[in-house]
Amino acid sequence: MSEPVLTAEGLTKAYGAPVLDDVTLALWPGEIHAVVGENGAGKSTLAKVFAGLVEPDRGSMTLRREPYSPRSRGEAKGLGIAIVHQELSAIPTLTAAETLLLGRLPARAGIVDRKRLRSEARAMLARVGLADLDPDRRVGTLGLGHIQLLEIASALSSRCEVLLLDEPTAALAPHETDALFVQMARLRAAGTAVVLITHRLEEVARTADRVSVLRDGRLVATRPAADLGREEVVRLMVGRSLTEAPRRPAADHGEVALRVEGLSGPRLHGVSFEVRRGEVLGLAGLMGAGRTEVLRAVFGADHATAGRIFVGASTTPARIRSPKDAVRHGLVLLTEDRKSQGLLLPCSVSANVMLGCLERAAGPWGNIRPAREAGLVRPPVDALGLRARSLGQPVVQLSGGNQQKVVLARALLSDPAIFLVDEPTRGIDVGARAEVHRLLLDLAGRGKALVIASSEIEELFALADRILVLSRGLVTAAFRRGEWSAETVMAAAVAAPDDLGEGLRTA
C-alpha cells in the first residue's frame, strides 16, 4: 500500500452539540476498516461526510491526493465513493430489478429491455445470496433483510474506490451475513477500501484489518484489528469496562396473557402459541420465516385470513382488526422498521414518546401542558439512557440506536400488558444493548408478557424462557430453556415443509 485512497483532516460537524470533533483518518486501498463506537458517537455522520450527504463545518478531505468535497451522494459515487445506509431508502413501488439498476436501466431504442434487466438483476441478486428472489417482485412486499441485501447488491454492482457500509448486517440472517463477508473479501482483494460501521464486535474480529474507535465525536484510537481484543474495544468505546446483562433466570409465570390459535395469512400457516404473564417467548427463524408477520398479524397491522387471538383469561376471541384495537386490548408493537413505521422523524423526542397518549399531558381545554409532558417523558427516556441534547431535539438528528430508544420509551410510557418486540437491539451498540436487555428482563419481572422476534439467536438465548422456531411461515419446533442449542434451533429454522410431516410442534 503506497498511499491512502481517502484522507480526512480535522473533520468537525455540530448539530447544536458536536457530532464530529476534529477527526483525522486515512483509508487505504485493499483494507477493511471497521469504525465502532456507542450510538451517537459520530459513526454514521462520518460516513455521510465521506459520501457527500453531510457537509462538515470544518476540515478537509483528499481523494487520491486531489481535494475532495462532494456536494451530493451522486457526485461522490461518480468519484468512486459508495454508501449503503443503515436506514433503508428503497422505493416500495419499484421491482427488485428496477431498484438494483435504477438510473442505468438497460434499454433498446429508448425502451427498457425487460429480459436483459431481469438477467442482470438475477446475477446481482445471486452475489448476495438472493438467487431465489423473483426480480419482478415489488420492493414494498419484501422484509427489511431482503431490502438491505438489495441495497448492498446495488452498491456492489459498480466498481468503487471506497465502499461505506453502515450497519449492513443489522437485518441479515447468519448465512446472509456470510455471503456479504465473502463479497467484502473480494472487494478488498480487488483494491477497494471497505469501511464497516458496526456494533457487532464479533464482525470486527472476523473481518477487519484496522479498527477506528469514536467516542463522543472524537477519534480515540486507530489500531490494527489483531492488536485489539473485545474488552479493549469496549473500554475505548465507552470509557469503562462493561459487564453483560444477565441471562434470563428461571422464573414462575402467571396466567396466560395471550393465546394465538391457527394464525394464517399470505405468509403464515396455522401458527399457534401462548405466552404467560412474566414470560418471554422468543421467535427464531431465518429471514422471511414469518417472525415479523406473526407480530404484525397479532397486532392487527396486517390482515390475517384465519386464526383466533385470546387476550388474558377471556374465552371470547379478541376482535383485533387494527393496531387501535390491539392497543385497546393492552398490546404494543415495537416494529423492526423504526424509520417508516415507528417514528415521526421531523418531530421532537418528546412528541414521539407521547404519541398515543397525548391526552395525559393535556389541560382542561385540550392544550398540551409542557411541564406535564416533560414529567411524563423524562422517566422512560432516562431509564433507557437516551442521548439527546434536549427533549425538543428532532428525532431525525439522533443516531439509529437513540431513535430505537425513543420507540422503546413510548412503549414504556403506555404500560401495556403484552409487548410484541421485533428486533429490539437492531442498530444498537454494545453498551446500549445490555441496557435494553436488562429493561426487557425487568418488564418480564414485573409481570409483563413479552414476545420477542430476533435474528440473533444468542439474544434469544439470553432473554427467552421458550423459543418458537418458524420456517416459511410454519412452526417447526418449540424449545424450553435448557432444551435448545444453536444447532437444534438452526436445524428447525432450515426445515422444509416436506421434512415436517404431521408433527409440527406448538409452544
Side-chain angles (χ1 to χ4, degrees):
M1 297 186 295
S2 57
E3 61 183 28
V5 60
L6 179 65
T7 62
E9 294 282 347
L11 291 183
T12 299
K13 182 66 181 180
Y15 296 104
V19 180
L20 293 176
D21 189 358
D22 195 29
V23 173
T24 295
L25 186 66
L27 303 176
W28 294 82
E31 74 163 343
I32 296 178
H33 193 125
V35 177
V36 299
E38 290 192 277
N39 292 119
K43 308 183 299 295
S44 294
T45 301
L46 180 63
K48 290 175 181 177
V49 170
F50 287 159
L53 295 166
V54 169
E55 183 180 355
D57 298 331
R58 293 193 305 275
S60 62
M61 295 182 288
T62 62
L63 178 65
R64 297 182 296 273
R65 290 188 174 183
E66 296 294 326
Y68 174 66
S69 54
R71 292 167 293 181
S72 68
R73 178 178 181 174
E75 183 178 343
K77 191 169 184 179
L79 293 170
I81 313 296
I83 186 171
V84 176
H85 290 288
Q86 175 185 356
E87 302 294 353
L88 307 179
S89 56
I91 301 171
T93 54
L94 295 182
T95 66
E98 291 165 344
T99 298
L100 290 172
L101 292 158
L102 190 63
R104 47 195 175 91
L105 297 173
R108 181 179 301 172
I111 300 174
V112 174
D113 186 338
R114 291 287 170 180
K115 182 177 180 180
R116 184 179 162 196
L117 173 63
R118 284 188 286 269
S119 176
E120 292 186 14
R122 285 192 183 96
M124 295 166 68
L125 290 169
R127 294 181 67 188
V128 293
L130 293 181
D132 294 334
L133 181 65
D134 182 357
D136 291 328
R137 185 167 168 182
R138 299 287 175 184
V139 170
T141 67
L142 300 176
L144 279 183
H146 283 99
I147 297 173
Q148 181 80 78
L149 287 172
L150 278 182
E151 296 211 0
I152 292 170
S154 179
L156 294 175
S157 65
S158 57
R159 177 75 173 90
C160 59
E161 301 280 348
V162 178
L163 177 62
L164 306 160
L165 300 173
D166 191 358
E167 301 286 4
T169 65
L172 303 186
H175 72 284
E176 294 150 353
T177 297
D178 292 341
L180 172 61
F181 288 166
V182 168
Q183 294 301 323
M184 289 167 55
R186 289 175 178 170
L187 288 168
R188 175 173 57 185
T192 296
V194 180
V195 177
L196 175 65
I197 296 172
T198 182
H199 67 279
R200 297 177 175 177
L201 299 187
E202 69 275 10
E203 296 179 356
V204 175
R206 180 177 171 185
T207 64
D209 300 297
R210 289 195 299 152
V211 182
S212 288
V213 183
L214 292 174
R215 186 168 73 229
D216 297 327
R218 297 187 66 85
L219 182 65
V220 297
T222 296
R223 299 182 191 171
D227 296 346
L228 282 175
R230 183 182 187 278
E231 292 75 14
E232 177 66 4
V233 173
V234 170
R235 188 190 65 78
L236 289 167
M237 286 171 55
V238 302
R240 64 187 187 280
S241 298
L242 184 72
T243 56
E244 292 290 337
R247 286 181 175 259
R248 175 76 166 136
D252 294 327
H253 306 127
E255 66 274 10
V256 173
L258 176 70
R259 186 169 85 255
V260 175
E261 295 181 353
L263 191 67
S264 297
R267 296 184 182 88
L268 297 176
H269 310 287
V271 174
S272 299
F273 64 88
E274 69 177 32
V275 58
R276 295 178 176 271
R277 287 177 56 86
E279 184 181 27
V280 179
L281 175 66
L283 299 184
L286 302 179
M287 185 173 64
R291 295 168 308 178
T292 294
E293 287 81 357
V294 167
L295 298 185
R296 289 179 57 83
V298 170
F299 195 65
D302 289 340
H303 176 63
T305 57
R308 300 191 299 173
I309 299 170
F310 299 86
V311 177
S314 176
T315 58
T316 302
R319 291 172 58 86
I320 300 179
R321 298 181 176 180
S322 68
K324 184 177 180 179
D325 293 337
V327 170
R328 190 171 61 250
H329 283 285
L331 283 74
V332 70
L333 172 64
L334 279 69
T335 175
E336 66 169 344
D337 188 356
R338 57 179 173 262
K339 181 178 180 181
S340 64
Q341 298 175 7
L343 295 166
L344 299 177
L345 293 175
C347 295
S348 68
V349 170
S350 185
N352 273 276
V353 174
M354 288 298 298
L355 282 176
C357 55
L358 287 171
E359 69 282 354
R360 293 172 61 183
W365 303 104
N367 56 308
I368 300 299
R369 294 187 172 184
R372 184 179 295 180
E373 181 181 27
L376 290 166
V377 171
R378 180 59 65 185
V381 163
D382 289 345
L384 289 165
L386 191 149
R387 297 176 63 179
R389 65 173 182 264
S390 73
L391 295 179
Q393 183 175 4
V395 167
V396 71
Q397 295 179 1
L398 301 182
S399 66
N402 280 303
Q403 290 178 358
Q404 183 79 331
K405 289 183 180 182
V406 173
V407 177
L408 286 165
R410 181 167 67 241
L412 290 180
L413 186 60
S414 66
D415 194 31
I418 302 162
F419 285 75
L420 308 174
V421 187
D422 201 356
E423 300 289 359
T425 57
R426 178 176 176 261
I428 291 182
D429 64 73
V430 66
R433 180 187 182 89
E435 297 172 13
V436 171
H437 283 183
R438 287 191 183 94
L439 169 68
L440 295 173
L441 294 179
D442 179 64
L443 289 170
R446 288 158 46 193
K448 307 296 184 183
L450 283 77
V451 183
I452 299 177
S454 177
S455 56
E456 299 186 40
I457 194 63
E458 284 298 325
E459 180 165 67
L460 294 181
F461 287 177
L463 296 174
D465 298 290
R466 291 180 298 127
I467 292 177
L468 188 72
V469 187
L470 296 168
S471 177
R472 306 184 192 184
L474 290 162
V475 176
T476 56
F479 301 98
R480 297 185 181 277
R481 177 166 292 281
E483 296 178 348
W484 61 57
S485 67
E487 291 76 16
T488 56
V489 171
M490 183 55 64
V494 299
D498 292 343
D499 299 332
L500 303 175
E502 301 298 324
L504 295 188
R505 300 180 61 185
T506 59

